[in-house]
Amino acid sequence: MTVKKTRWMIVDGKEPFIVITSLAFAFIVLIALVIFLTSALLDREELRMQSEAERAFNSVFLALQDSTNKALQAMQDENVSGIGVYNSLGRKVLSLGNVPMTIPLDRFDSRDSLPKDGSNTGTATFNRETGMIEYIRFSRLTILLDTGELTLTENGLLPAPLDFPDVLYLHFDGQNYNHRVMVIMVIGIISSMTLVGLFLLVLSIYRN
């Protein structure tokens, strides 16, 4: 009988540790799930921003091929405040609308701006200082080759010297994007804090 009582006492002593550990593990899993969902939503908004910038870019520059008036109308429809062409030093060459005289190209890595699938797309980033979404594409070579203004030499090489790259730049209001991102982050933080509070509440009830 004495042996049996000792065994039950050992089990009772381990019970709080087992229960608390199980609760902590369950809530850690839930918090990890919240973080994962928040990260997935932020990634979706990033892709959405890239898609919107690419669509606005194509719409404006296609309209610009017809006339300036059509380009201005397309800018208004796409909520674009300015487009510009910059040289390899980031200095403005041509522009339409409100764009800066220079752009800091060091914020845009041309290697990262070239998609892995080889398609001719650019990179969109959100500028927190100005609240604008900036889209940039390094594309002078593509434009010159497509228009026939640049031809290869007999050896199949590019003529030299060449000042690469011309930079196509576009920016538009990013407040909606920023608002969506902030809402997702706030919901994620509140959800995590709620889970922590719930864990402490359950733990307190169990200990009492």
Side-chain angles (χ1 to χ4, degrees):
M1 263 325 261
T2 304
V3 175
K4 291 183 178 180
K5 288 183 178 180
T6 302
R7 289 178 178 177
W8 279 109
M9 291 176 61
I10 293 175
V11 173
D12 292 340
K14 289 183 177 180
E15 180 184 351
F17 173 78
I18 295 174
V19 172
I20 293 174
T21 301
S22 300
L23 286 173
F25 177 77
F27 279 99
I28 289 175
V29 170
L30 290 175
I31 291 176
L33 180 61
V34 169
I35 294 174
F36 173 78
L37 291 176
T38 301
S39 178
L41 290 174
L42 290 175
D43 289 342
R44 187 191 68 175
E45 289 301 323
E46 180 73 18
L47 292 174
R48 182 177 178 180
M49 178 186 68
Q50 297 287 339
S51 176
E52 290 178 350
E54 180 69 21
R55 183 192 64 199
F57 176 87
N58 291 331
S59 177
V60 172
F61 274 91
L62 286 175
L64 187 60
Q65 294 179 5
D66 293 335
S67 66
T68 302
N69 291 333
K70 287 186 178 181
L72 291 173
Q73 183 61 45
M75 289 173 62
Q76 183 177 356
D77 295 340
E78 298 292 344
N79 200 26
V80 173
S81 57
I83 60 174
V85 178
Y86 294 76
N87 63 19
S88 59
L89 299 178
R91 297 173 182 172
K92 184 174 69 173
V93 178
L94 300 171
S95 67
L96 188 62
N98 183 23
V99 295
M101 292 297 298
T102 60
I103 55 176
L105 293 182
D106 55 345
R107 290 199 297 108
F108 302 92
D109 189 338
S110 59
R111 291 170 298 178
D112 295 337
S113 299
L114 296 176
K116 297 179 180 179
D117 59 3
S119 58
N120 185 28
T121 59
T123 299
T125 57
F126 177 70
N127 190 328
R128 297 186 180 278
E129 296 180 359
T130 62
M132 305 293 288
I133 294 176
E134 298 176 311
Y135 179 91
I136 191 170
R137 179 187 289 183
F138 298 84
S139 62
R140 182 184 181 190
L141 176 60
T142 301
I143 291 175
L144 294 180
L145 288 175
D146 288 345
T147 58
E149 296 180 18
L150 177 65
T151 57
L152 302 179
T153 63
E154 294 180 356
N155 297 327
L157 302 177
L158 291 172
L162 289 174
D163 182 20
F164 288 110
D166 276 354
V167 180
L168 301 179
Y169 173 85
L170 172 148
H171 72 162
F172 57 98
D173 187 15
Q175 293 303 317
N176 290 335
Y177 163 79
N178 187 48
H179 175 72
R180 294 194 300 266
V181 169
M182 294 303 297
V183 169
I184 292 173
M185 293 182 65
V186 169
I187 292 177
I189 293 173
I190 292 177
S191 299
S192 298
M193 293 179 64
T194 300
L195 288 174
V196 172
L198 184 60
F199 168 73
L200 295 176
L201 177 62
V202 173
L203 182 61
S204 176
I205 294 175
Y206 172 76
R207 291 175 65 89
N208 291 334

